[in-house]
Amino acid sequence: MLDAAQRRRFHDQGFLVLPSQIDPARLAALRAAAVAIVDRFDFATHRAVFSTRDRDAGRDDYFFDSAQQVRCFLEEDALDERGALRKPPRLAINKIGHALHDLEPAFTELCRLPLLGALLRDLGARAPRLVQSMYIFKQPGIGGEVRWHQDAAYLITAPASVTGLWLALEDARRDNGCLWVQPGGHRSPLRERYEVDWSARRGALHQLDDTPWPTPDEALPLEVPAGTLVIFHDHLPHYSARNESTRSRHAFTIHAAEADAAWSPKNWLQRDRLEPFAL
Ligand code: FE2
């Protein structure tokens, strides 16, 4: 799938942008599938917010259990002081996670495309397993910032073996909160690690290294059209700004880990009930 120059670019830069990977009809089907999940979700019972402002202190059992389910998380700014929705659910939701690839047919079908496994193998994966999937809405006006982070902080394997794939379901521009990356930043140390103490069912983000996050000069915006796949290394610092525009910026993101790498028992994401999802 990838030529030598693309493989070299991934290893040099820590990411690769591949336009026109998924056709518009499938993108539309994925967006419709996500809306259908939101429409049938019980927001009266589950009113969980996803935010990165609190350094992940707000993660709870609802979040941990989403590892093996399809659960909806709301935008922080979608709730009023009394916790009521300010907007209809379709415009209030932050993301759906984290087992869409296992449990929702439209997403399973996408993840079964030979393309994904072939791309990962071209980049050196031997036996990639899909471990999580997320549908991110980045709502117009209120779609929250996702602070700088490295995905290896949240998906810990020994040795580190995680690769992220990010599919633009809509055009991503600076004004609607596109991804920003630090080219070459995958060679920088892992700065943080989020680990769960399962006896207390509490997670905490531990600082491992004081290397600063990229400055604006070091950051590159990935302005990409719908259908683009971005592949990124698990140590690549990335970020996305708040969506200040009137357009949403939907994306579907998945992470793969090597089958033979040791999965940390302290990872928030534990898949003990689902079958391994080999790519
Ligand atoms: Fe990330």
Side-chain angles (χ1 to χ4, degrees):
M1 301 300 302
L2 299 173
D3 61 28
Q6 288 172 312
R7 292 199 298 271
R8 209 165 39 240
R9 202 151 70 233
F10 178 80
H11 293 298
D12 285 352
Q13 303 280 299
F15 69 98
L16 196 57
V17 177
L18 302 169
S20 306
Q21 295 299 302
I22 304 294
D23 63 80
R26 189 185 290 276
L27 300 180
L30 294 168
R31 292 194 302 264
V35 167
I37 294 168
V38 174
D39 285 352
R40 64 173 189 261
F41 198 76
D42 178 8
F43 288 97
T45 307
H46 300 299
R47 199 154 289 189
V49 157
F50 184 81
S51 166
T52 67
R53 283 183 205 162
D54 62 355
R55 291 180 56 84
D56 312 302
R59 305 286 173 264
D60 57 8
D61 281 339
Y62 178 79
F63 181 83
F64 300 146
D65 293 345
S66 74
Q68 302 183 94
Q69 299 188 47
V70 173
R71 293 196 149 174
C72 293
F73 297 86
L74 295 165
E75 279 296 341
E76 208 168 13
D77 292 347
L79 296 178
D80 67 19
E81 315 73 49
R82 300 192 318 280
L85 282 177
R86 291 179 203 273
K87 290 171 179 278
R90 286 183 184 193
L91 288 174
I93 182 164
N94 170 289
K95 70 173 176 181
I96 309 172
H98 290 86
L100 287 157
H101 58 296
D102 296 291
L103 303 174
E104 283 290 331
F107 296 96
T108 306
E109 199 179 286
L110 171 79
C111 295
R112 289 275 174 229
L113 293 178
L115 169 75
L116 304 184
L119 288 171
L120 290 169
R121 283 188 179 77
D122 277 0
L123 295 173
R126 293 179 312 280
R129 298 269 190 275
L130 245 182
V131 293
Q132 74 166 14
S133 50
M134 283 184 281
Y135 191 104
I136 298 165
F137 290 79
K138 203 65 141 175
Q139 301 286 359
I142 58 166
E145 174 191 82
V146 175
R147 64 177 192 92
W148 281 102
H149 67 279
Q150 295 157 296
D151 288 345
Y154 296 92
L155 300 169
I156 303 158
T157 69
S161 72
V162 170
T163 305
L165 293 108
W166 184 98
L167 171 64
L169 296 169
E170 297 180 307
D171 297 345
R173 312 291 301 174
R174 268 179 238 220
D175 69 342
N176 68 346
C178 71
L179 272 183
W180 291 71
V181 300
Q182 181 192 21
H186 62 306
R187 283 187 290 269
S188 65
L190 186 64
R191 291 155 177 84
E192 302 166 329
R193 185 173 284 157
Y194 181 79
E195 291 179 322
V196 178
D197 168 2
W198 291 108
S199 63
R201 298 190 73 82
R202 296 284 311 168
L205 190 65
H206 306 289
Q207 194 75 28
L208 306 179
D209 189 281
D210 290 335
T211 303
W213 294 113
T215 62
D217 286 351
E218 295 169 319
L220 178 73
L222 301 183
E223 297 196 283
V224 298
T228 302
L229 256 183
V230 180
I231 310 178
F232 50 102
H233 187 285
D234 67 0
H235 280 49
L236 183 76
H238 57 286
Y239 154 88
S240 71
R242 186 181 172 91
N243 182 355
E244 305 284 1
S245 81
T246 55
R247 293 167 292 112
S248 55
R249 193 230 64 192
H250 292 195
F252 181 62
T253 173
I254 58 179
H255 287 87
E258 281 297 322
D260 62 359
W263 188 256
S264 170
K266 293 182 176 174
N267 277 338
W268 79 265
L269 186 126
Q270 300 293 335
R271 292 171 53 95
D272 50 2
R273 296 195 307 277
L274 295 172
E275 292 297 311
F277 194 113
L279 284 177

